C-alpha cells in the first residue's frame, strides 16, 4: 500500500516529514518533490533500499542514480568533494546542479551502478532538505517517472503513475522548474556538461569557468559513445510517436500545408496564434522557463489524447533552452 500525504512545499509539517523519514530509514521508497522534478528516493547507503528504487521504476540497474544531501558538510562524509567545488559550493547549492565525484564505499554500489563515481546534489526544496535531514542518510533518487516515461512534475502525475509501486508519496503540488538538474563532470579541460538542465551554461560559467558542451550533450547527433550511462537509454518519451521540426518557420509552413487531423500540434502560444488551430500549448516563447515547465506535461497530454502522433518545434538553445532542446531531441524523430 502507498501512503499519500499532503505537504506544504515551503513549510512542511514535521510530523509528515518524520513519517517519510522513518520509511527511508526502514529501507522503503518515498516519492518527494525537489525544485526540478519529483524524485523516487531511498537510503543511498543500503543496497536493498536502493534496489527497491530500480524495482519500482523498472529501471535498468546499469544507469546510476543521483544522490541527494542536505548540505555540503554532509556530502563530505560520503564522497571526495574536490577543492574547486568546496570554494564555490555555496553559490551552486542548494540548487539544480549535479556534480560527479569520486565516491566512498559508504554509498551503495547499486546507487553508483558499480562505478567509482557518484552524481551528487543539494536540492533547493524545503521538503527534500527536511526529509534528508530527518532520515540522517543521503537519499538516492532518480526522477520519479517509470523508466522511459517523461519525468514527473506534479503530485497528481506522481499519484497516477506510482500509487501502489512505492511506500509513500509526498503530495506537494507542482515542482518549480519542471526539468531535471544540470549534470556536470570535472575534467582536466574544465567542467563538461553530461546532461543540460535547469541551470544554463551561461549562469554556471561565471562560477565554474568555461564549460564544455559536446554535441552528445545537446543530443544533436546520434551518440556512439554515451557520456553518461543515462544517455544510451530512450528517455523522456511520450508513448506515441513525436516528430520535430526544429526551425519555427519551417514548422509553421509544414503544419499549415501537410498536417493530418490525427496529429497533435505541440507548440508555443505565439505559434498557436499563427496556426489558428487547436494545439497542446507550451506557453509563451518569451519565457523559456514556462516552456520547460510545460514540456513533460505536454508529452503526457499527447499520450492521454485521442491523437495518433504529435509534432513539436524547436526553441533557442540559450539558458534553459539547451535542456529543452535536449529533451525534445531525445523524445522525438526529426521530420526535416
Ligand atoms: O533533477 C534531477 O536531477 C532529478 C531530481 C530527482 O534530483 N533526478 C534525476 O535523476 O533526474 P535521473 O536518475 O533521472 O538522472 C540521473 C542522470 C542520468 O543521466 C545518469 O546517467 C547520470 O545522471 N549520472 C548519475 N550518476 C552518474 C555518474 N556517476 N557518472 C555519470 N553520470 C551519472
Ligand atoms: Mg530520469
Amino acid at each position: 500500500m502507498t501512503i499519500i500525504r499532503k505537504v506544504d512545499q515551503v513549510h512542511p509539517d514535521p510530523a509528515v516529514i518524520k513519517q517519510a523519514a522513518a520509511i527511508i530509514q526502514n529501507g522503503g521508497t518515498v516519492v518527494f518533490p525537489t525544485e526540478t522534478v519529483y524524485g523516487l528516493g531511498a537510503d543511498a547507503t543500503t543496497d536493498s533500499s536502493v534496489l527497491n528504487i530500480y524495482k519500482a521504476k523498472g529501471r535498468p540497474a546499469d544507469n546510476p542514480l543521483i544522490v541527494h544531501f542536505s548540505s555540503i558538510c554532509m556530502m563530505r562524509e560520503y564522497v571526495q568533494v574536490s577543492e574547486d567545488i568546496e570554494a564555490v559550493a555555496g553559490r551552486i547549492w542548494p540548487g539544480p546542479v549535479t556534480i560527479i565525484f569520486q565516491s566512498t564505499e559508504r554509498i551503495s554500489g547499486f546507487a553508483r551502478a558499480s562505478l567509482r563515481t557518484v552524481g551528487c546534489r543539494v536540492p533547493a526544496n524545503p521538503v527534500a532538505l527536511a526529509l534528508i535531514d530527518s532520515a540522517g542518510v543521503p537519499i538516492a533518487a532518480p526522477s520519479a517517472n517509470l523508466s522511459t516515461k517523461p519525468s514527473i512534475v506534479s503530485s497528481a502525475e506522481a499519484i497516477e503513475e506510482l500509487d501502489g509501486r512505492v511506500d509513500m508519496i509526498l503530495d506537494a503540488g507542482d515542482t518549480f522548474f519542471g526539468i531535471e538538474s544540470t549534470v556536470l563532470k570535472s575534467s582536466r579541460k574544465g567542467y563538461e556538461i553530461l546532461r543540460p538542465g535547469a541551470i544554463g551554461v551561461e549562469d554556471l560559467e561565471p562560477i565554474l569557468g568555461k564549460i564544455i558542451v559536446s554535441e552528445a550533450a545537446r543530443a544533436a547527433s546520434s551518440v556512439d559513445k554515451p557520456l553518461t550511462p543515462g544517455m544510451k537509454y530512450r528517455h523522456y518519451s511520450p508513448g506515441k510517436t513525436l516528430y520535430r521540426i526544429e526551425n519555427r518557420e519551417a514548422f509553421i509552413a509544414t503544419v499549415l500545408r501537410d498536417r493530418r487531423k490525427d496529429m497533435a500540434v505541440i507548440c508555443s502560444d505565439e505559434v498557436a496564434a499563427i496556426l489558428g488551430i487547436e494545439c497542446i500549448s507550451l506557453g509563451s516563447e518569451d519565457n523559456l522557463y514556462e516552456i520547460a515547465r510545460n514540456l513533460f506535461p505536454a508529452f503526457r497530454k499527447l499520450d492521454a489524447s485521442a491523437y495518433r502522433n504529435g509534432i513539436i518545434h524547436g526553441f533557442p538553445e540559450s539558458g534553459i533552452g539547451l535542456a529543452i532542446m535536449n529533451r525534445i531531441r531525445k523524445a522525438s524523430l526529426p521530420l526535416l
Side-chain angles (χ1 to χ4, degrees):
M1 202 196 72
T2 301
I3 300 164
I4 300 172
R5 290 201 68 180
K6 279 210 185 303
V7 65
D8 187 279
Q9 251 188 90
V10 182
H11 301 291
D13 177 352
V16 177
I17 296 296
K18 210 169 146 198
Q19 187 180 11
I23 290 173
I24 297 280
Q25 287 167 338
N26 289 323
T29 48
V30 175
V31 171
F32 65 97
T34 79
E35 78 280 36
T36 57
V37 299
Y38 272 81
L40 199 174
D43 174 1
T45 66
T46 308
D47 291 349
S48 55
S49 307
V50 175
L51 285 172
N52 286 333
I53 298 176
Y54 289 100
K55 217 187 304 161
K57 257 188 85 103
R59 175 169 171 131
D62 64 345
N63 192 5
L65 310 177
I66 290 176
V67 178
H68 301 71
F69 300 84
S70 60
S71 67
I72 179 93
C73 187
M74 179 189 198
M75 205 184 277
R76 275 192 221 105
E77 293 175 39
Y78 296 89
V79 300
Q80 292 168 28
V81 181
S82 50
E83 274 172 30
D84 47 339
I85 285 298
E86 286 272 5
V88 295
R91 295 176 68 189
I92 293 177
W93 290 314
V97 181
T98 297
I99 297 189
I100 310 296
F101 293 116
Q102 291 295 318
S103 184
T104 66
E105 290 301 314
R106 294 188 71 187
I107 300 290
S108 160
F110 290 104
R112 297 179 268 125
S114 302
L115 298 171
R116 270 195 290 250
T117 55
V118 58
C120 303
R121 78 182 188 100
V122 181
N125 181 292
V127 175
L129 293 174
L131 178 62
I132 300 162
D133 258 343
S134 183
V137 287
I139 295 183
S143 51
N145 52 289
L146 294 180
S147 195
T148 80
K149 288 270 170 61
S151 295
I152 286 177
V153 303
S154 72
S155 44
E157 292 167 358
I159 293 165
E160 190 180 320
E161 194 152 304
L162 296 162
D163 190 5
R165 303 185 71 105
V166 294
D167 296 306
M168 187 173 188
I169 297 174
L170 293 175
D171 176 356
D174 295 344
T175 58
F176 184 79
F177 286 105
I179 206 160
E180 303 88 343
S181 63
T182 306
V183 181
L184 293 170
K185 188 181 95 178
S186 169
S187 75
R188 260 173 287 127
K189 287 178 277 174
Y191 282 91
E192 181 180 4
I193 293 259
L194 296 186
R195 179 184 70 183
I199 296 289
V201 173
E202 300 86 340
D203 294 321
L204 287 167
E205 282 188 331
I207 304 171
L208 297 175
K210 182 84 192 132
I211 293 174
I212 303 160
V213 183
S214 64
E215 287 293 294
R218 293 173 63 224
S221 59
S222 62
V223 184
D224 294 324
K225 184 169 168 291
L227 287 178
T228 162
M231 271 189 185
K232 68 176 189 240
Y233 294 107
R234 199 175 119 96
H235 254 128
Y236 319 116
S237 318
K240 293 180 185 162
T241 304
L242 179 65
Y243 298 99
R244 71 174 182 273
I245 297 177
E246 294 195 11
N247 181 282
R248 189 180 181 277
E249 274 54 54
F251 174 87
I252 293 168
T254 307
V255 169
L256 287 174
R257 198 182 55 226
D258 298 334
R259 173 188 164 253
R260 296 168 55 138
K261 288 245 171 320
D262 59 0
M263 177 181 265
V265 178
I266 304 180
C267 62
S268 70
D269 289 348
E270 289 82 354
V271 170
I274 296 168
L275 293 173
I277 55 172
E278 190 185 305
C279 300
I280 298 178
S281 170
L282 293 170
S284 169
E285 55 198 27
D286 286 345
N287 183 353
L288 288 180
Y289 287 98
E290 189 181 338
I291 303 286
R293 237 187 337 261
N294 289 327
L295 189 64
F296 290 134
F299 293 168
R300 286 178 181 273
K301 276 185 201 151
L302 168 62
D303 277 346
S305 74
Y307 291 110
R308 222 163 72 97
N309 50 30
I311 187 163
I312 190 167
H313 61 86
F315 291 89
E317 280 181 285
S318 58
I320 200 170
L322 189 69
I324 294 171
M325 287 312 296
N326 168 277
R327 306 306 187 267
I328 288 177
R329 289 179 181 133
K330 280 177 180 268
S332 65
L333 300 171
L335 205 61
L336 285 181

